[in-house]
């Protein structure tokens, strides 16, 4: 089942602009993670924010987490053509019997136009 | 190894044949996950291994799907009597159990399965 739902589904911006993607989820989480995927193959982990954190930075990335609203946002500043990819949020939650599960949304397809 | 290795990278098979997909996780990573991604879709959880045991098999779509892990390392995902709806990219990820809450998961490049 889908836990994280990204918004928008697709985003097209000019190089140098900022890109903001949002994610909503439904259940309690341990942490929320953002991944990037190029060309429909392997995912690359970008950033992880724990449930007791509200904001985190990594280079040009800024992630916020609002557990009261069950939402997160990913901001990419000063975008580059190389940032063109699909971005997924994923929630890490305990699913019982000693098992943790990372549940992904359907992703936001970002296109950065040179 | 330095990363998660999956093989084959591409597999074309005839409907009804069995296929076996392999995942070689990062050395020392105790947790291993299989996901499936259909074209243009998000990732669908299939199965999770902690060591050699699979406490969560809830995502396996049918009894044609099975997975095993031996020696706490390599895992194989087997699909019997493949159907066209099995066509997808199958992704494997691993993490160290103690670090999964801090460093995320490392994914392989996936196996693109096409059933014709």
């Amino acid at each position: 089942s889908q836990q994280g739902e990204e918004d928008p589904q697709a985003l097209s911006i000019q190089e140098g602009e900022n890109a903001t993607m949002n994610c909503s989820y439904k259940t309690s989480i341990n942490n929320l993670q953002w991944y990037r995927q190029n060309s429909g193959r392997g995912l690359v982990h970008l950033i992880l924010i724990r449930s007791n954190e509200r904001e985190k930075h990594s280079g040009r990335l800024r992630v916020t987490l609002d557990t009261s609203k069950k939402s997160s946002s990913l901001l990419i500043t000063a975008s580059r053509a190389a940032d063109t990819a699909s971005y997924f949020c994923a929630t890490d939650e305990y699913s019982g019997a000693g098992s943790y599960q990372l549940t992904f949304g359907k992703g936001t397809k970002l296109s950065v136009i040179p | 190894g330095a990363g998660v290795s999956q093989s084959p990278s591409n597999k074309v098979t005839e409907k009804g044949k069995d296929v076996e997909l392999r995942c070689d996780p990062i050395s020392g990573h105790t947790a291993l996950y299989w996901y499936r991604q259909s074209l243009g879709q998000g990732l669908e959880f299939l199965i999770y291994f902690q060591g050699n045991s699979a406490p969560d098999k809830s995502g396996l779509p049918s009894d044609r799907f099975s997975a095993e892990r031996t020696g706490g390392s390599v895992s194989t995902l087997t699909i019997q009597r493949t159907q066209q709806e099995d066509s997808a990219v199958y992704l494997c990820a691993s993490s160290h159990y103690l670090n999964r809450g801090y460093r995320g998961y490392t994914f392989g490049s996936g196996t693109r399965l096409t059933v014709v």
Side-chain angles (χ1 to χ4, degrees), chain A:
Chain A
S1 62
Q2 297 292 341
Q3 162 76 311
E5 293 291 338
E6 291 91 342
D7 167 54
Q9 292 185 336
L11 179 62
S12 184
I13 59 173
Q14 295 289 328
E15 199 166 32
E17 293 181 338
N18 296 340
T20 299
M21 289 160 268
N22 302 298
C23 170
S24 61
Y25 59 93
K26 297 174 184 173
T27 63
S28 297
I29 61 172
N30 298 312
N31 62 69
L32 185 144
Q33 304 175 27
W34 286 89
Y35 288 80
R36 165 192 167 129
Q37 184 180 43
N38 288 81
S39 306
R41 297 307 287 259
L43 279 75
V44 174
H45 178 257
L46 295 177
I47 195 166
L48 179 154
I49 186 165
R50 299 174 66 189
S51 59
N52 61 352
E53 297 176 312
R54 293 296 166 259
E55 187 171 313
K56 204 161 183 181
H57 297 253
S58 177
R60 294 185 295 113
L61 305 180
R62 181 173 80 100
V63 169
T64 62
L65 179 65
D66 187 334
T67 52
S68 66
K69 295 181 179 177
K70 291 186 168 58
S71 67
S72 172
S73 67
L74 171 67
L75 169 67
I76 304 174
T77 60
S79 64
R80 306 166 182 169
D83 294 330
T84 295
S86 291
Y87 292 82
F88 293 88
C89 75
T91 50
D92 186 38
E93 57 208 73
Y94 183 67
S95 56
S99 171
Y100 290 85
Q101 185 178 127
L102 196 62
T103 305
F104 287 81
K106 293 186 177 181
T108 292
K109 193 167 186 178
L110 173 66
S111 298
V112 181
I113 302 166

Side-chain angles (χ1 to χ4, degrees), chain B residues 33-45:
Chain B
Y33 303 79
W34 282 98
Y35 288 85
R36 176 170 75 172
Q37 185 178 30
S38 300
L39 187 63
Q41 298 296 310
L43 275 73
E44 175 189 2
F45 169 79

Side-chain angles (χ1 to χ4, degrees), chain B residues 30-111:
Chain B
T30 51
L32 185 148
Y33 303 79
W34 282 98
Y35 288 85
R36 176 170 75 172
Q37 185 178 30
S38 300
L39 187 63
Q41 298 296 310
L43 275 73
E44 175 189 2
F45 169 79
L46 297 179
I47 190 169
Y48 156 71
F49 285 94
Q50 179 57 35
N52 290 336
S53 65
D56 191 348
K57 303 179 183 178
S58 62
L60 294 176
S62 76
D63 58 9
R64 295 186 296 105
F65 287 72
S66 63
E68 65 174 17
R69 189 180 185 194
T70 55
S73 181
V74 172
S75 175
T76 54
L77 176 68
T78 302
I79 309 173
Q80 295 178 309
R81 305 181 302 282
T82 52
Q83 304 293 313
Q84 287 185 328
E85 62 262 28
D86 299 334
S87 297
V89 175
Y90 289 81
L91 291 159
C92 174
S94 72
S95 72
H96 190 285
Y97 183 74
L98 293 179
N99 285 337
R100 45 158 287 289
Y102 297 87
R103 297 185 182 175
Y105 296 43
T106 303
F107 278 82
S109 296
T111 294

